[in-house]
Amino acid sequence: MSAEMDALTVVNQLRDLAADPLNRRAIVEDQGCLPGLILFLDHPNPQVVYSALLAVRYLAECRANREKMKGELGMMLSLQNVMQKSTSPGETKLLASEIYEILQSAGKEEAEQAEAAAASCRRKAQFFLGSTNKRAKTVVLHIDGLDDSTRRSLCEEALLKIRGVISFTFQMAVKRCVVRIRSDLKAEALGTAINSTKVMKAQQVVKTEDGGEVIMPFQEDSEVLVEENQDIPDYLPEEESPSQEPDKAVTRVGSVTEGMGWLNTAANFLTRSFYW
């Protein structure tokens, strides 16, 4: 079998392996496969070049791969060469251009995600601190059932929904929550919200004149109307979560092991061909 046919065979196998999302991270992390694909982009056989571009396009679909691919020596330059080469077929140029744009925007995507996270933090800070210049009061709650992080999260969600809550801090060791609220908000509203979780019960801790503390239960028969806050900060959605599309996480029996075997074969071929 000729060397050219060997190259086409290997690049086609890499293309087929890259088509499986479960293999994409491994191919990019391999020390020989990604540099080998870049070298294939300069191959004299147009079929080898196009097949290599398809493999690179599959690999670029994984967001986690893009930064590494963009920074790989020769990647962006080789794509530009394919785009500018007069002998490259039109379909090949379009595919190379598409890949180039995807990788070129990789850094911008990271910056946009960081900016979105920072904006979310700013909105959250505004929610907690925006009313601190108004008249406010502090309420100390003793919360039966505040035992772990899960219960704490439920408590946070309940308090975040109340319009007039400025800030709150937890003292998990003593099952307490110190809440700063607007002066016109009744403390009973906090108790109603926390009691609505059905797994926790709130009582108010009141200071006595002699400096001691008294735990006062909220009246169970008094229903306090809780005004919900409609301006709760936005939260960033999780991307590429495998749980969101479980059907795409299923693969054929044996495909991973077979894929890794072919990956090793391809890597060995590339090592022999380009690194001797």
Side-chain angles (χ1 to χ4, degrees):
M1 186 179 293
S2 66
E4 186 171 295
M5 183 59 69
D6 285 341
L8 184 59
T9 300
V10 171
V11 77
N12 284 343
Q13 290 296 336
L14 281 173
R15 177 202 61 198
D16 294 342
L17 287 172
D20 187 343
L22 295 178
N23 296 330
R24 290 170 187 168
R25 293 293 298 275
I27 293 174
V28 171
E29 293 298 326
D30 186 90
Q31 295 182 355
C33 288
L34 187 58
L37 282 173
I38 294 173
L39 291 173
F40 281 139
L41 297 179
D42 295 324
H43 200 277
N45 185 344
Q47 289 181 302
V48 173
V49 174
Y50 188 74
S51 189
L53 285 172
L54 286 175
V56 173
R57 179 62 181 86
Y58 283 132
L59 297 177
E61 289 183 9
C62 177
R63 289 179 182 273
N65 285 343
R66 292 175 186 174
E67 276 294 330
K68 180 175 176 58
M69 293 174 65
K70 179 182 177 182
E72 190 69 31
L73 182 63
M75 172 64 78
M76 304 304 283
L77 181 60
S78 294
L79 290 172
Q80 285 181 322
N81 289 340
V82 174
M83 294 158 53
Q84 296 169 1
K85 189 180 296 185
S86 59
T87 57
S88 295
E91 189 176 4
T92 299
K93 289 184 178 181
L94 287 174
L95 183 56
S97 177
E98 180 185 356
I99 298 169
Y100 186 89
E101 292 299 325
I102 291 173
L103 298 184
Q104 189 67 22
S105 63
K108 296 178 182 178
E109 289 179 357
E110 294 292 333
E112 289 172 0
Q113 290 176 6
E115 176 59 28
S120 177
C121 290
R122 287 195 294 270
R123 288 194 297 269
K124 188 182 293 185
Q126 183 180 10
F127 169 73
F128 282 121
L129 304 176
S131 303
T132 54
N133 291 330
K134 300 178 181 180
R135 292 190 304 272
K137 60 185 179 182
T138 300
V139 177
V140 180
L141 301 175
H142 178 82
I143 305 175
D144 291 324
L146 185 62
D147 301 322
D148 52 34
S149 58
T150 301
R151 298 286 179 88
R152 172 175 172 163
S153 296
L154 287 175
C155 188
E156 288 176 349
E157 292 175 5
L159 293 174
L160 280 170
K161 292 179 181 179
I162 304 175
R163 181 177 295 277
V165 170
I166 300 170
S167 66
F168 50 81
T169 57
F170 289 92
Q171 300 172 349
M172 298 294 292
V174 290
K175 299 184 179 182
R176 289 190 179 183
C177 182
V178 181
V179 189
R180 189 164 177 79
I181 61 176
R182 281 196 327 230
S183 59
D184 58 347
L185 179 65
K186 294 182 178 180
E188 285 79 2
L190 306 178
T192 299
I194 293 173
N195 294 347
S196 68
T197 64
K198 306 298 184 182
V199 293
M200 290 178 287
K201 183 175 182 179
Q203 302 175 83
Q204 185 173 2
V205 180
V206 180
K207 289 281 187 181
T208 61
E209 294 182 357
D210 59 1
E213 293 180 347
V214 176
I215 297 179
M216 304 288 293
F218 294 110
Q219 296 182 7
E220 296 185 3
D221 57 348
S222 65
E223 288 294 332
V224 178
L225 180 63
V226 178
E227 184 180 2
E228 291 195 359
N229 182 10
Q230 301 300 321
D231 192 26
I232 297 177
D234 296 329
Y235 292 91
L236 295 177
E238 292 185 2
E239 297 186 1
E240 300 186 347
S241 172
S243 62
Q244 293 176 358
E245 298 180 288
D247 56 315
K248 293 186 178 180
V250 178
T251 185
R252 301 179 304 278
V253 175
S255 66
V256 175
T257 55
E258 292 171 5
M260 290 306 97
W262 265 110
L263 186 58
N264 291 333
T265 302
N268 290 335
F269 173 85
L270 294 170
T271 300
R272 291 195 308 270
S273 300
F274 302 115
Y275 302 102
W276 48 272

